[in-house]
Amino acid sequence: MQSKYSGSETLSVSELPNNIYRALTGDAGGMENRISAIPQEMEFLNVIGKRFVAAIDRFHVHRALLTTLQDLYTFSACCILLRGDPNELFIIPCQPLSHDFIEEMIRRITDAARAIDFPPMDIRQLTEMAYLDAPDEVAQFRTQEAIEATEVGSSINIPLIVNNRIIGILSLFDELIGTFDTELLKTTAIIADYAAIALETVRLRERENALWRQAELERQRLELILRSMTEALLITDENGVVSSLNQSARTLLSQVIGDVEIGVSLSTLAQINNTPWLFTLADIVHQALQGQTVKDQELIAGESGEKVPMTWWVSVAPLHDASGIKTRPIGTVVVLTDVTASKQVERLKDEFVSVVSHELRTPLTSIKGYTQHLIRRIERRVRKFREQTPPGSQPVELPESIDLRSLAIVQSQTEHLERLVDELLDRSRIQWGQLILQYEDFHLADLLASSVRSVQASTEQHTIHLDIQVQDTTVTADRARIEQVVGNLLDNAVKYSPHGGQIVVQLHKYLTNEFADSVDSDNSDHNYAYLVSISDYGIGISPEHLDHIFERFYRISNASTRQYSGVGLGLYITKAIVEAHGGRIWVASNGPTGGTTFFFTIPRVPSTLR
Ligand code: ADP
């Protein structure tokens, strides 16, 4: 049987059968009556519930509330004060209201709010924030004569409660005395509960919408930024699958591997195209998925035969879940920067420096040769003159001696220039992977001894000690290059200890496990390496520079170091030579004694010859 009330929006309490009315008003009646009224009572609550559930915004809630309350009473207005920042007051009139009546309502609401510990506010504030939400039929009816009542005859205030939290107050007002039947208070409170939940739902929905709009705006802004970025940007998911890429990335990638589709994994892309750089990129992304950030790694994306192949810098960062629930990265952000143009400029600069250095080397060699020739001739002449001078005669300063000193300066300056030119040529070689080593067997101890002798000959202020605790010091290496390494470090030790002092060169041999997978037995010669240290007690290097001094053209420039000549290539070349031999180089400050110690290692036999 279809209920009389199902789906109805026109239900009125006054139309309710007597027994339900009594049940709602708490009028006991008979037990039998109350039991028979339950289904209809539930039906009534169902209708109210539907009205509130259907409300999609706060104004719909107000209408549902007004309609339901009007089923119970005939009254002048209802008001809703909502707690918030700021509080909000809605006045919903059932009929046109006079100014005095409204003022009186607001005064009473202020008192009620104070009584239930609402954040403090006065009548003026509440009046200013009040919003008159008049239903159409009331809003149109604005003639002065219709507004008669100036005093409130009766009122009730019911707190609006959700989850034991007072979210506001519902207040009903009428011009007549005794309108709000205390017997209907229970029903009014139930309606207030419905209204409270509906208002809270609307508030949450509004907040959710606002957040969604904000998130959408943010998303659009981000998309715009990504689209207009000149850097190519690629986003991958947690499996290294490309989930999005900007226009710059599409353009850049299309130059080498054609169109890249979203949804393809980088390793699949690498396999399809079989290009080493894509395998490297997939590897870097894999590292980032383990939580590592990779910065500015060079990728050669062009043909290796080209003079300046297409070169990119790639930086990859792990993408973490904003909620922090997942500990593993949920993807990666890949930024590719095309540096081919700057590589081309660099190459041109290098070629220029290399050509000029070559051109300079030939005249320098002749200047050096002729200077040496002149020095030898003049020395012979001076020696002859001395031999012819009778013993005991007064020593005379020969003009040739002055010439000899001048020529010594020319020679040392030429050597300085020659070193500079060699450093520039080496730098080009290292840069373009053309540092070729000529291996030979020799005794490292002999090389160190001859280097120490030659540097010692150039300085009287310093004493260079050679401390070798090793019997057999045979090594397979590029002798000239190792000489260059030791020479550079010794020259620096002398140069950067301007007040002279000791310089200590030590040589140790150690068993290394770096080559553990080598086929040789544990104590084979092949498993040994040498450690050379060169300590000075000079100006030292402050900690912030320690990590950088091996970089190209890096020089410590401050008031105390400006006096030292150099271009900052020596340590760069030294490091490249040591590493080409499979060794390592590092530096440490000497602590309280001051000065610096450089260490480098060199395997007894290079891994390529093992
Ligand atoms: P440079 O031609 O300037 O000597 P290097 O590459 O040999 O170039 O050295 C780089 C910088 O490292 C130097 O400018 C100097 O500031 C610092 N340096 C190198 N060796 C020493 C040392 N033994 N003591 C103090 N500073 C040093």
Side-chain angles (χ1 to χ4, degrees):
M1 196 180 109
Q2 174 107 28
S3 158
K4 178 183 164 196
Y5 302 113
S6 58
S8 162
E9 281 287 313
T10 56
L11 180 77
S12 154
V13 174
S14 49
E15 293 166 24
L16 288 173
N18 225 12
N19 53 352
I20 306 178
Y21 180 82
R22 278 209 301 278
L24 287 173
T25 56
D27 183 350
M31 178 64 114
E32 218 174 280
N33 262 348
R34 286 222 303 277
I35 293 172
S36 71
I38 288 173
Q40 285 160 311
E41 184 185 341
M42 287 182 71
E43 195 67 50
F44 170 68
L45 295 177
N46 186 25
V47 171
I48 304 175
K50 280 185 185 163
R51 278 184 194 155
F52 282 109
V53 168
I56 50 164
D57 61 25
R58 61 181 66 207
F59 300 106
H60 280 92
V61 178
H62 296 170
R63 295 294 168 277
L65 185 64
L66 208 61
T67 314
T68 310
L69 288 171
Q70 279 175 329
D71 285 344
L72 293 189
Y73 316 103
T74 303
F75 60 104
S76 307
C78 88
C79 298
I80 297 168
L81 174 64
L82 286 179
R83 193 180 206 135
D85 187 19
N87 296 328
E88 290 172 294
L89 175 63
F90 294 92
I91 299 174
I92 313 155
C94 304
Q95 64 190 46
L97 302 173
S98 71
H99 181 77
D100 289 345
F101 193 90
I102 294 177
E103 211 173 78
E104 176 60 11
M105 287 197 307
I106 294 178
R107 197 185 58 72
R108 287 185 186 219
I109 294 169
T110 317
D111 290 344
R114 204 171 296 132
I116 59 162
D117 279 346
F118 242 64
M121 62 195 155
D122 57 29
I123 298 180
R124 193 183 51 81
Q125 284 171 319
L126 214 53
T127 310
E128 275 169 13
M129 73 175 63
Y131 182 91
L132 195 73
D133 178 18
D136 287 348
E137 65 278 13
V138 179
Q140 284 165 11
F141 193 64
R142 290 203 174 276
T143 51
Q144 193 55 41
E145 58 272 23
I147 306 171
E148 284 166 0
T150 56
E151 280 181 25
V152 172
S154 51
S155 69
I156 50 170
N157 296 301
I158 303 169
L160 295 169
I161 300 174
V162 177
N163 293 335
N164 295 328
R165 197 166 48 86
I166 299 180
I167 64 156
I169 305 172
L170 168 68
S171 308
L172 305 184
F173 297 96
D174 194 34
E175 54 195 79
L176 301 178
I177 297 170
T179 302
F180 302 108
D181 187 346
T182 48
E183 291 186 337
L184 281 173
L185 217 59
K186 194 177 140 203
T187 316
T188 316
I190 293 173
I191 296 169
D193 283 348
Y194 274 107
I197 292 170
L199 285 168
E200 186 66 355
T201 309
V202 162
R203 191 183 66 81
L204 289 176
R205 194 179 302 146
E206 279 174 358
R207 212 171 69 183
E208 185 185 308
N209 283 347
L211 284 175
W212 187 86
R213 271 198 305 277
Q214 199 184 339
E216 178 58 18
L217 271 176
E218 203 55 35
R219 195 192 63 77
Q220 286 175 1
R221 208 169 65 95
L222 213 66
E223 202 174 287
L224 208 71
I225 293 174
L226 297 188
R227 222 181 301 146
S228 50
M229 266 175 73
T230 46
E231 280 84 6
L233 190 114
L234 241 127
I235 313 260
T236 76
D237 68 8
E238 58 199 323
N239 300 314
V241 171
V242 179
S243 55
S244 93
L245 70 169
N246 69 357
Q247 192 48 47
S248 304
R250 284 181 197 284
T251 316
L252 196 69
L253 293 171
S254 70
Q255 293 173 43
V256 274
I257 50 169
D259 286 343
V260 172
E261 297 298 330
I262 284 174
V264 65
S265 91
L266 284 173
S267 39
T268 311
L269 210 60
Q271 272 154 18
I272 297 170
N273 291 278
N274 197 20
T275 37
W277 70 267
L278 259 172
F279 283 106
T280 314
L281 182 61
D283 242 31
I284 298 174
V285 165
H286 181 74
Q287 280 173 42
L289 285 170
Q290 310 299 313
Q292 247 175 290
T293 299
V294 178
K295 267 192 91 185
D296 292 341
Q297 186 156 327
E298 202 163 284
L299 282 183
I300 308 288
E303 298 292 324
S304 53
E306 285 171 50
K307 200 167 180 190
V308 183
M310 184 174 278
T311 311
W312 301 341
W313 275 357
V314 59
S315 297
V316 185
L319 203 59
H320 289 285
D321 179 15
S323 68
I325 296 171
K326 287 197 173 181
T327 46
R328 273 173 56 86
I330 54 162
T332 63
V333 183
V334 182
V335 179
L336 292 166
T337 316
D338 187 356
V339 291
T340 317
S342 53
K343 286 275 163 192
Q344 273 161 343
V345 174
E346 210 175 300
R347 178 85 201 204
L348 280 176
K349 260 186 346 198
D350 271 352
E351 276 175 0
F352 173 76
V353 170
S354 173
V355 167
V356 171
S357 310
H358 267 297
E359 292 303 312
L360 280 174
R361 219 174 182 311
T362 322
L364 273 176
T365 313
S366 351
I367 294 171
K368 206 173 139 190
Y370 281 112
T371 315
Q372 260 164 5
H373 175 71
L374 277 175
I375 289 174
R376 272 199 295 273
R377 260 181 56 180
I378 297 172
E379 273 174 348
R380 263 201 309 273
R381 219 181 299 153
V382 172
R383 217 179 305 127
K384 212 164 166 189
F385 176 80
R386 294 248 158 84
E387 280 163 10
Q388 286 167 0
T389 315
S393 51
Q394 195 74 352
V396 269
E397 165 94 298
L398 294 173
E400 281 86 348
S401 303
I402 300 167
D403 291 346
L404 263 184
R405 279 202 294 276
S406 307
L407 282 171
I409 293 170
V410 172
Q411 194 181 27
S412 105
Q413 291 302 316
T414 314
E415 278 165 3
H416 181 71
L417 253 179
E418 204 177 34
R419 251 199 323 272
L420 195 68
V421 166
D422 284 345
E423 279 187 351
L424 287 172
L425 283 170
D426 277 347
R427 194 224 126 194
S428 289
R429 284 190 197 108
I430 293 165
Q431 183 74 12
W432 303 105
Q434 289 160 353
L435 185 75
I436 312 229
L437 301 180
Q438 313 284 344
Y439 288 107
E440 60 181 297
D441 293 337
F442 59 93
H443 291 282
L444 197 51
D446 292 350
L447 181 145
L448 289 174
S450 89
S451 298
V452 164
R453 260 197 312 278
S454 118
V455 176
Q456 182 66 83
S458 69
T459 170
E460 283 171 2
Q461 275 183 299
H462 300 82
T463 316
I464 311 179
H465 292 287
L466 182 58
D467 173 11
I468 297 179
Q469 306 286 342
V470 191
Q471 292 292 325
D472 175 22
T473 67
T474 43
V475 65
T476 309
D478 185 322
R479 188 187 174 106
R481 288 298 185 185
I482 297 297
E483 223 159 32
Q484 194 179 346
V485 166
V486 178
N488 268 344
L489 295 176
L490 278 174
D491 281 346
N492 277 352
V494 168
K495 182 159 73 169
Y496 296 109
S497 40
H499 303 298
Q502 286 200 350
I503 293 169
V504 180
V505 180
Q506 287 184 308
L507 173 66
H508 296 277
K509 195 176 187 181
Y510 64 101
L511 194 60
T512 166
N513 56 8
E514 275 173 48
F515 320 116
D517 54 349
S518 157
V519 288
D520 296 309
S521 66
D522 272 358
N523 56 359
S524 149
D525 252 8
H526 289 181
N527 293 334
Y528 281 96
Y530 294 103
L531 171 70
V532 180
S533 65
I534 296 175
S535 306
D536 66 61
Y537 300 93
I539 61 167
I541 299 173
S542 41
E544 70 269 24
H545 297 294
L546 287 176
D547 281 346
H548 301 285
I549 53 163
F550 294 103
E551 289 167 13
R552 224 166 17 144
F553 298 118
Y554 193 89
R555 303 204 72 224
I556 300 167
S557 173
N558 56 39
S560 63
T561 56
R562 220 155 281 148
Q563 50 181 307
Y564 306 106
S565 65
V567 288
L569 277 176
L571 288 179
Y572 169 74
I573 294 164
T574 301
K575 182 171 189 258
I577 296 173
V578 169
E579 287 179 352
H581 279 87
R584 279 196 319 120
I585 184 163
W586 68 99
V587 60
S589 282
N590 283 348
T593 51
T596 318
T597 300
F598 281 86
F599 300 88
F600 76 88
T601 63
I602 176 173
R604 207 337 252 116
V605 179
S607 61
T608 44
L609 301 184
R610 248 176 255 144

